[in-house]
Amino acid sequence: MTAHITNQHTKLLPTSIMLMDREVNMKSRPMDRAGIEQRVMRIVKEVLVIDEETVDLDVSITEQLAPDSLDQMRLYMALEDEFQDTIPEDEMERIHTVRDIIKSIETKHAGI
Amino acid sequence: MRRVAITGAGCLSALGGDAEEFWSNCLRGKSVVAEIPDAWSYYSKLKSRLWSPLPPIDYSARGLSRVEQLQLDPAAQLTICAAQEAIERARLVTELKDKKSNRFAIRDIDPLRFGVFMGTGVGGLHSLLENHCHPVVARHKSELKELLDAGDIPAHARTAITSVIDHMPHPKRVNPFVASMFMPNAFAAALGLKFSLRGINSTSAGACAAGTIAIGKAFRAIRSGRVSLALAGGADYLADSYGYIFRGFDAAGTLVRDCEEPERANRPFDNKRSGFLCSQGGAAVLVLEDLQHAMERRAPMVAEIIGYAESFDAHSMMSLEPGGKQIERMINAALDDAGITATDVDYVNAHATGTQNNDAIEARMLRRVFGSSVPVNATKSLTGHVVGASGALEALVCALSLKHQTTHRCLNLDDPVEDLNFVQSAQPQNLSVAISQSFAFGGHNAGLILRRAEQ
């Protein structure tokens, strides 16, 4: 018994969840400030395993939230995955707090 | 010397998301054959257009975090899922050790005496190729986009440039973890990290025999008392956006070519065979355990491993030595290692990829060593070739065949290349001892001897 299937099933490879350079329909996701803040908070808590209900938006990422540089990389990767967009390295250098992350994403996706 | 039991097993392959589904589909004689993704034929003129894709896998539902999925090659993720299943089936209990890294420890087991032995053919080649696309493609693509935006381009040129752009996939950035994703030892390391195992952690890069070699090394490590338990198996992931891994095998002329009847293209040991069916990937992991240790904790016994041997052809990078003498030498060494003779073997799981020369050499050698009455089957007639995972999947088939006293048939075998007792249907059998053999590009031969667990 052979299940022969067409390539309709395999057009998109179920590979790793790599951030590919392709058009993403951002309109289907809420991108207002409250929505962005909610999603950023969710990622920060998920990646850094923060059990508290809320995270102080102005606490330092590098000094308090994620002093380990690998954790910082994981956080930015997860944010890029969530928002399907890159955070350029020079942009990362300007980010010190969770509020900066939200501001950066908000600026990029304003009007979408 | 200690005796070695298989006390658990897990796998993911085109035939299913766990060992139970895999075995059930083996007995049903199921195979998954599909056309390759359209885009691959845009980049290369391919001789083969068929492969065996994996089913959709929800790694999140299997407990892998977003971060794990982002920083592990797909083959490492398959490996973790297969190992989780194997651990559970061996009735070992995991407990969360570190929430942030999503890592576990295994309860009541000495982690210093728990080893990891993984085999792979291509390591994290998928991750290397995908990330390599960024520096190679991104800038050119961006310049082409600028050209289109700049202005006055004739319609036909615009169409052509747009088509080129559409065929230039690349990640938006290089993954900062890519070096730890493409190294061949990443799968074994991922298991050691995931389950906090600090015994021997070893990787066998033995191409198509890698899974068999890894299990053989684990068997020897337990038998000699260096570890008490091991996660042992193989994994590979053979797809990438440009189909370049597939192209490598296709360019060598090793893949199935019969596209008139796609579902019958993959036919190991048949006179109409034309090559192997490339699998998208898979992983199989066994829990190997000191038999005494397993009995003390009342672990389930799937089968026992009683012998292992390797040999090397020193003949060709891609073809078997025509007489099969080194394979025969390897089999005799494995039989010696197990303390048995060829007449004690009552089931052979052949390497049997479906390539012209190699199947003929293997079949002649099998007849010479085992005669024509021992049941022989070809698991790759169902799974296709999963390279580093194949040996482990086939060892699993041997173990389950011994446990359930039946085995699967050879699919699409109508006109056998040799007079052997090829299994034609999944009937009840009286199986005590089985051999699983694998041969690899390079010239590596490896074989495991398994025995039915004492009832």
Side-chain angles (χ1 to χ4, degrees), chain B residues 142-160:
Chain B
S142 152
E143 284 170 0
L144 285 172
K145 280 181 177 171
E146 280 170 22
L147 190 66
L148 282 184
D149 294 343
D152 212 10
I153 308 246
H156 68 281
R158 181 172 290 277
T159 306

Side-chain angles (χ1 to χ4, degrees), chain B residues 62 81 160 203 288 301 354 369:
Chain B
R62 289 169 184 262
C81 294
T203 297
L288 266 54
M301 304 283 178
V369 176

Side-chain angles (χ1 to χ4, degrees), chain A residues 4 13-14 21-22 27-28 41 61-62 68 74-75 85 91 95 97 107-108:
Chain A
H4 178 235
L13 296 175
D21 182 35
R22 57 180 169 236
K27 285 177 186 166
S28 60
M41 290 289 253
I61 292 173
T62 52
D68 182 339
R74 292 184 184 106
L75 174 61
D85 204 352
E91 181 74 18
I95 290 174
T97 63
T107 309
K108 224 166 169 192

Side-chain angles (χ1 to χ4, degrees), chain A residues 1-5 7 11 14-15 19 21 43 46 49 51 71 73-74 80-82 84 86 92, chain B residues 28-31 33-36 38 66-67 71 99-100 141 170-173 176 237 263 280 409:
Chain A
M1 185 192 83
T2 306
H4 178 235
I5 56 177
N7 58 356
K11 266 184 178 159
T15 60
L19 181 60
D21 182 35
I43 300 300
E46 176 188 323
V49 187
D51 291 329
D71 280 344
M73 281 202 281
R74 292 184 184 106
E80 289 178 337
D81 177 56
E82 174 68 19
Q84 288 294 300
T86 50
M92 284 181 200
Chain B
R28 289 165 64 208
K30 182 180 174 179
S31 179
V33 182
E35 291 170 32
I36 53 171
D38 280 341
R66 186 198 300 246
V67 166
Q71 69 175 78
K99 197 173 170 187
K100 192 162 80 178
K141 188 171 171 180
H170 66 83
K172 283 190 173 178
R173 62 180 297 176
Y237 188 81
E263 67 280 4
Q280 184 182 353
R409 68 183 171 115

